[in-house]
Amino acid sequence: MITRLKHLFVAALLAAPFLFGACSGNKTAGASDSSDTINYRDYIRKLSFEDPDKAFAVIDSLEKVKKHPPYISNYYRCMVYNNTGNNERSIIHYGNLAMSDPRLKKEHSDFYMHTLYVVAFSYYNENHIGTSLKKVRELLDMAIKNNDEEMRINSLELIGHNLMELKEYDNAIKNNKEAADRAIKMFYENPTFRPFDKSTVACNSLIINLAALKRYAETEKYIQELVAILEKGKNIKFPSEKYYDIRLWSSYKTIMEIYHSMKKKKEYEKYRILSEATQTAKLPENRAFYFAYNLDQKNYKQAWNDIVNLRQYFVEKRDTVCNDFLSYVLKNELIYHYELGDYKMALNSAWDIIECKDSINRRKEIEDAAQLAKIYETQEKEKQLAEQKAELTKQRNIIISVATLLVIGAVFIVVLMRLNRKVKRRNKTIVATINNMMQKEDELTLLQLTDDSNKAENINPEELRLKQSLDMLKEDKSIEDIVKEGAYKNADDFNKKFYDYFGIHAEEYRKWSKNMNKQEQTGIEEAKHMKESFIRNMSHEIRTPLNQIYGFVQLLTTPGIQLSDEEKQKFTGIIDEQTTHMTQMLNTFLEMSQYESSSERLPMETVDIDELLSQSCDSFPSVKEGVVLTHKNNSGLKTVECNSKGILRILHCIIDNAIKFTDEGQVCVECSKNEDGDIVFSVTDTGKGVPEGDDERIFEQFYKVDEFIPGTGLGLSLARQIANRMGASIVLDRSYEAKGSRFVISYEKIK
């Protein structure tokens, strides 16, 4: 039943003349070659019916003189094959080739939609239902977006027939009904040729599907709709005088066959008479549809005359090796002879059928081979052009790589000098702090007594004892020793006098002095370590890709070295990859330097939370297979006051890290509220997690948990630098117990 349904659908659709181009016939506004392209299209459309070989020659010539680009040529080839019929492979090949160039969709959206429809229809005819559905659903989305009602109707109709093949009957009818209802509405709002064509085809398709599912009440409802449209069509001006008669015949024939399947003789007879009253029904190629009726009514003479005339028709067309000749001549002859009891002639007809089937199969093989040869020829031309383009690209890449090396070298030197100056400034600040504190300490304690007797007389003995106690505290002497050497009454007496004079308790001062000494030493050591670590890490991170780039550039540019195209492509890819790696690393350093250069808080703005989360995920258009990147807003708010650029950059760094360490599962970006009711952003993954003890080390420059995973080890360090400028904090949430890890960004200015 489904196979018969499919043939009926195709017949109903092909009863109307195919148009060469989108249903609307309009070109995308703004395209520069609008009039020329449409004129060529109309000319080639005409040739496609009259002389397909000439049409292909014109397309090749136009492409050769560069009147239009290859994707337009492939669009034309697809349409010519579509109009010549029975060329599904070529339609699919050239259609996909045309659509693979993004310019077709961008500059000629109507061409793209029509190509998409024709290719989807060819996949349907080839029983590639899944691919056909994928294509036609893309078409439906595009038709809705472009407000193209005719293409929307076409899409819904084809989706319905694909779903019928998959036995998803309810969804199939749902789509077919929507197509028919939209087409009917369009016709009554604008009763002209194109709406008439759309509505009759859509109604034919729907009643065929409904009848196949034996939903006869709905079938008869839409039969009446179709009959009303045909009646109203009498007053329409059509492109040709024959068109209306063809549509009457095909529609009445479909209704006739449906009523025959419903076993409603009265209605069947009514529409058989109506269909046979048309001029189209008198054509030999259409008389086969009445063979069963004549045989049933024992009109043997009429049945035989129809067979003879149809055989003569195919002979004159020189096309007796085709499925129509097999089905409507040979098989009907077999049935006719068997019905009349002439079994010898019936046997002869059976042998003729077998021979015809063999001939059709051989012919199909030859035609398939010819199509494949034509496709191969086109592919060879495209391959030659691609090779020439690839060679130019390789040469350009080598030049770009060398230039990039020079730029990277210069940038590296600038960054190194800048960071070196920063380290020097930090060292200078530490030394200045030490000197300043020593100077203040000297002024405070006045341990160096002047030889000036007047000044010596002015020194208060009690004050001198207290200042001397500072040295003893620094030497870590006990309070008892200080009391004894300073001749104080007791410890309480010393502590009281020390606090009254210095404003700090003696033990607190001892502790402060020790910490200050440690901080001074640590600051100097950290500055030294930072400088050494930076130079060491940068040398390692840059030397390796530089050596690779230099080696492969030298290999590619050395005369006399024979390399295959695959090897050249591989080496060029490595150069591009390493150059990109170095550029990204240096850009990250520049960005870190920019954020470190000032302590001023980043400005605030009102930001839409959903849009912010969406943008953070959109910056990763492709994620590794098996990993899903999602986002959700659980804060209950629509907007937030923050620095959107800073938050986005922080999220990007953390998401990038999460994707690298997640092989399967998901990475989720979330905005929510913590236990205190404050808004926080978080990134949760199902990856490897962070080892115990590395909670803070992961934020250090160049630190990598897994050395075998690509990356510079700078992302989290940059994220923390940005967070410092925002008054934010980034922590690894150790309370997260599920597989993977969770990073939380808390921002004190978020309200």
Side-chain angles (χ1 to χ4, degrees):
M1 175 62 75
I2 293 297
T3 302
R4 175 174 172 76
L5 164 67
K6 184 171 181 177
H7 293 322
L8 283 172
F9 165 58
V10 174
L13 188 59
L14 295 181
F18 260 110
L19 297 180
F20 197 101
C23 291
S24 60
N26 296 324
K27 184 177 178 299
T28 304
S32 59
D33 57 342
S34 174
S35 58
D36 285 347
T37 302
I38 291 176
N39 289 336
Y40 290 139
R41 182 190 66 188
D42 292 342
Y43 177 61
I44 295 170
R45 178 194 62 80
K46 184 179 179 183
L47 283 177
S48 68
F49 292 107
E50 299 173 354
D51 191 345
D53 291 336
K54 187 176 180 180
F56 287 125
V58 170
I59 294 169
D60 292 340
S61 299
L62 289 172
E63 184 176 17
K64 188 174 182 180
V65 298
K66 297 183 178 179
K67 279 289 185 181
H68 48 63
Y71 69 91
I72 292 293
S73 298
N74 290 323
Y75 162 75
Y76 288 149
R77 292 185 183 106
C78 173
M79 295 306 119
V80 173
Y81 276 117
N82 180 65
N83 287 346
T84 56
N86 298 322
N87 291 285
E88 311 298 349
R89 285 188 179 181
S90 297
I91 293 170
I92 291 170
H93 171 73
Y94 288 109
N96 285 331
L97 206 59
M99 291 187 293
S100 67
D101 193 314
R103 290 177 292 176
L104 181 67
K105 186 175 183 179
K106 182 179 179 181
E107 299 174 7
H108 301 275
S109 63
D110 56 337
F111 285 15
Y112 183 87
M113 285 195 291
H114 187 233
T115 307
L116 200 55
Y117 177 68
V118 168
V119 169
F121 198 86
S122 293
Y123 277 123
Y124 171 75
N125 287 338
E126 290 287 287
N127 287 317
H128 298 305
I129 304 304
T131 307
S132 178
L133 263 177
K134 180 180 178 182
K135 296 286 184 185
V136 76
R137 281 173 172 159
E138 179 189 349
L139 174 62
L140 178 60
D141 292 339
M142 195 171 176
I144 293 172
K145 181 179 178 181
N146 290 357
N147 198 28
D148 190 326
E149 187 66 10
E150 292 186 20
M151 196 56 78
R152 184 172 184 175
I153 292 168
N154 287 345
S155 305
L156 291 167
E157 190 178 327
L158 185 52
I159 287 173
H161 287 279
N162 272 294
L163 293 175
M164 287 293 291
E165 294 286 330
L166 296 175
K167 298 183 180 180
E168 295 184 20
Y169 300 129
D170 289 339
N171 285 333
I173 295 300
K174 179 182 177 182
N175 282 275
N176 278 148
K177 274 189 176 182
E178 184 178 350
D181 291 341
R182 285 181 173 276
I184 292 168
K185 180 182 178 183
M186 183 172 65
F187 171 71
Y188 283 110
E189 289 176 351
N190 180 27
T192 55
F193 159 62
R194 295 199 62 80
F196 175 83
D197 177 69
K198 288 291 132 194
S199 58
T200 51
V201 170
C203 285
N204 268 283
S205 300
L206 176 59
I207 61 177
I208 289 169
N209 282 352
L210 288 171
L213 299 176
K214 297 183 179 181
R215 294 167 62 166
Y216 295 133
E218 296 171 272
T219 304
E220 291 196 89
K221 173 189 171 184
Y222 281 96
I223 285 176
Q224 297 308 314
E225 290 279 8
L226 177 58
V227 171
I229 292 169
L230 293 171
E231 183 65 25
K232 194 174 179 63
K234 291 179 179 179
N235 303 320
I236 297 175
K237 183 178 180 181
F238 294 99
S240 68
E241 295 179 359
K242 295 180 180 179
Y243 176 82
Y244 180 65
D245 190 75
I246 292 172
R247 181 54 72 204
L248 280 178
W249 171 77
S250 64
S251 298
Y252 288 147
K253 174 182 67 66
T254 299
I255 297 172
M256 172 190 80
E257 292 182 343
I258 288 173
Y259 275 126
H260 184 266
S261 67
M262 293 168 63
K263 298 180 180 180
K264 289 193 173 185
K265 294 183 178 180
K266 182 179 179 182
E267 288 79 3
Y268 165 74
E269 185 65 19
K270 173 184 176 181
Y271 287 102
R272 182 195 65 78
I273 293 171
L274 287 172
S275 66
E276 283 202 274
T278 62
Q279 294 299 314
T280 305
K282 295 177 173 60
L283 297 175
E285 61 267 32
N286 295 327
R287 292 303 307 167
F289 292 101
Y290 305 98
F291 174 76
Y293 170 78
N294 288 324
L295 210 60
D296 185 60
Q297 297 296 317
K298 302 188 183 303
N299 294 333
Y300 298 123
K301 183 177 181 181
Q302 182 63 50
W304 181 250
N305 286 338
D306 289 342
I307 293 174
V308 171
N309 291 336
L310 187 56
R311 173 183 279 275
Q312 184 63 29
Y313 168 78
F314 281 107
V315 170
E316 290 175 356
K317 283 183 62 179
R318 298 182 180 180
D319 191 15
T320 57
V321 183
C322 63
N323 286 317
D324 286 346
F325 183 78
L326 175 69
S327 299
Y328 301 135
V329 175
L330 297 181
K331 288 184 178 180
N332 284 353
E333 284 181 351
L334 172 63
I335 295 170
Y336 177 82
H337 292 310
Y338 188 84
E339 181 74 15
L340 269 65
D342 193 346
Y343 301 119
K344 181 179 180 180
M345 292 298 296
L347 182 61
N348 290 337
S349 296
W351 283 112
D352 289 342
I353 289 172
I354 294 172
E355 289 181 3
C356 186
K357 284 183 177 179
D358 291 339
S359 298
I360 290 172
N361 290 333
R362 287 194 298 271
R363 178 176 180 177
K364 188 176 189 306
E365 290 174 359
I366 294 171
E367 288 177 347
D368 287 346
Q371 288 187 42
L372 290 173
K374 183 69 175 176
I375 291 172
Y376 178 76
E377 181 184 350
T378 306
Q379 289 176 333
E380 282 297 307
K381 291 179 181 178
E382 291 168 353
K383 185 179 178 182
Q384 291 175 4
L385 291 173
E387 288 174 352
Q388 295 174 4
K389 186 176 180 181
E391 190 62 33
L392 291 173
T393 302
K394 290 174 185 176
Q395 296 176 6
R396 183 185 62 188
N397 287 341
I398 291 172
I399 295 172
I400 291 174
S401 298
V402 174
T404 303
L405 282 174
L406 296 174
V407 173
I408 289 174
V411 173
F412 171 66
I413 292 171
V414 170
V415 172
L416 193 59
M417 291 175 63
R418 187 168 183 176
L419 289 173
N420 193 38
R421 284 198 301 269
K422 184 177 291 186
V423 173
K424 285 181 178 180
R425 284 198 302 269
R426 288 179 179 177
N427 290 339
K428 187 176 180 181
T429 302
I430 292 170
V431 172
T433 302
I434 293 171
N435 292 336
N436 187 40
M437 291 183 64
M438 291 298 296
Q439 181 181 354
K440 289 182 178 180
E441 183 178 323
D442 289 342
E443 292 175 357
L444 180 66
T445 60
L446 293 175
L447 293 178
Q448 295 182 349
L449 299 177
T450 178
D451 292 336
D452 189 327
S453 59
N454 292 329
K455 289 185 178 180
E457 292 175 357
N458 292 331
I459 295 176
N460 187 333
E462 185 66 31
E463 183 178 326
L464 181 60
R465 282 196 304 165
L466 289 169
K467 292 174 181 176
Q468 288 173 340
S469 68
L470 292 174
D471 286 335
M472 288 187 279
L473 286 168
K474 287 182 179 180
E475 293 170 3
D476 208 19
K477 289 186 177 181
S478 67
I479 297 296
E480 290 77 9
D481 291 340
I482 296 173
V483 169
K484 184 177 179 181
E485 293 183 22
Y488 293 101
K489 294 178 181 179
N490 51 42
D492 291 339
D493 179 46
F494 165 69
N495 283 328
K496 182 178 184 304
K497 290 178 179 179
F498 190 92
Y499 183 81
D500 290 341
Y501 186 81
F502 293 110
I504 187 172
H505 293 292
E507 287 297 340
E508 288 181 357
Y509 175 78
R510 188 202 303 274
K511 182 179 179 180
W512 170 84
S513 180
K514 286 182 179 180
N515 289 337
M516 181 59 70
N517 288 334
K518 289 181 181 178
Q519 289 175 6
E520 290 168 1
Q521 292 300 320
T522 302
I524 294 170
E525 290 299 322
E526 283 184 352
K528 182 180 178 181
H529 175 73
M530 182 183 296
K531 180 178 179 181
E532 292 175 353
S533 176
F534 172 76
I535 294 173
R536 182 174 61 255
N537 287 322
M538 284 295 290
S539 298
H540 171 74
E541 291 293 336
I542 291 181
R543 183 170 59 249
T544 301
L546 274 177
N547 287 339
Q548 288 194 45
I549 293 170
Y550 176 76
F552 286 120
V553 169
Q554 193 175 41
L555 188 62
L556 288 168
T557 55
T558 300
I561 293 183
Q562 299 295 324
L563 297 172
S564 66
D565 291 342
E566 290 78 9
E567 290 174 325
K568 291 178 182 179
Q569 185 175 4
K570 179 182 177 182
F571 296 159
T572 305
I574 293 173
I575 292 172
D576 289 340
E577 180 182 339
Q578 294 301 325
T579 302
T580 301
H581 171 74
M582 290 177 63
T583 304
Q584 289 176 345
M585 180 172 58
L586 293 173
N587 285 338
T588 303
F589 266 115
L590 289 173
E591 192 173 1
M592 291 175 67
S593 178
Q594 178 184 356
Y595 281 107
E596 285 181 347
S597 63
S598 173
S599 60
E600 184 180 350
R601 288 291 179 89
L602 297 175
M604 308 286 285
E605 57 187 317
T606 301
V607 180
D608 185 283
I609 295 177
D610 290 326
E611 185 176 347
L612 183 72
L613 296 176
S614 178
Q615 287 179 9
S616 69
C617 293
D618 290 345
S619 61
F620 295 90
S622 60
V623 183
K624 66 175 69 172
E625 187 175 353
V627 179
V628 178
L629 177 59
T630 62
H631 63 82
K632 53 186 177 181
N633 178 11
N634 291 332
S635 67
L637 300 176
K638 292 185 177 180
T639 61
V640 65
E641 290 291 324
C642 67
N643 183 275
S644 61
K645 182 180 177 182
I647 287 287
L648 280 173
R649 192 68 177 98
I650 291 173
L651 289 174
H652 181 89
C653 293
I654 301 177
I655 294 170
D656 182 56
N657 225 43
I659 292 173
K660 286 178 184 176
F661 287 89
T662 303
D663 295 327
E664 61 179 1
Q666 68 172 353
V667 176
C668 180
V669 189
E670 182 180 359
C671 179
S672 59
K673 289 185 178 182
N674 61 17
E675 295 177 354
D676 298 328
D678 297 327
I679 294 178
V680 296
F681 290 93
S682 63
V683 178
T684 308
D685 62 63
T686 57
K688 299 178 180 179
V690 179
E692 290 290 339
D694 281 358
D695 297 29
E696 285 301 317
R697 291 194 67 191
I698 56 178
F699 293 99
E700 296 175 5
Q701 293 181 6
F702 295 110
Y703 180 74
K704 297 169 67 174
V705 173
D706 189 344
E707 292 292 337
F708 295 99
I709 293 181
T712 60
L714 296 172
L716 292 179
S717 180
L718 172 60
R720 180 159 279 186
Q721 289 286 355
I722 300 172
N724 290 338
R725 289 285 304 277
M726 296 173 59
S729 65
I730 305 174
V731 295
L732 176 67
D733 184 5
R734 278 298 180 190
S735 65
Y736 182 69
E737 297 179 352
K739 180 185 177 183
S741 58
R742 181 173 184 259
F743 286 83
V744 178
I745 303 122
S746 302
Y747 187 23
E748 65 184 26
K749 293 299 181 183
I750 294 180
K751 300 295 181 183

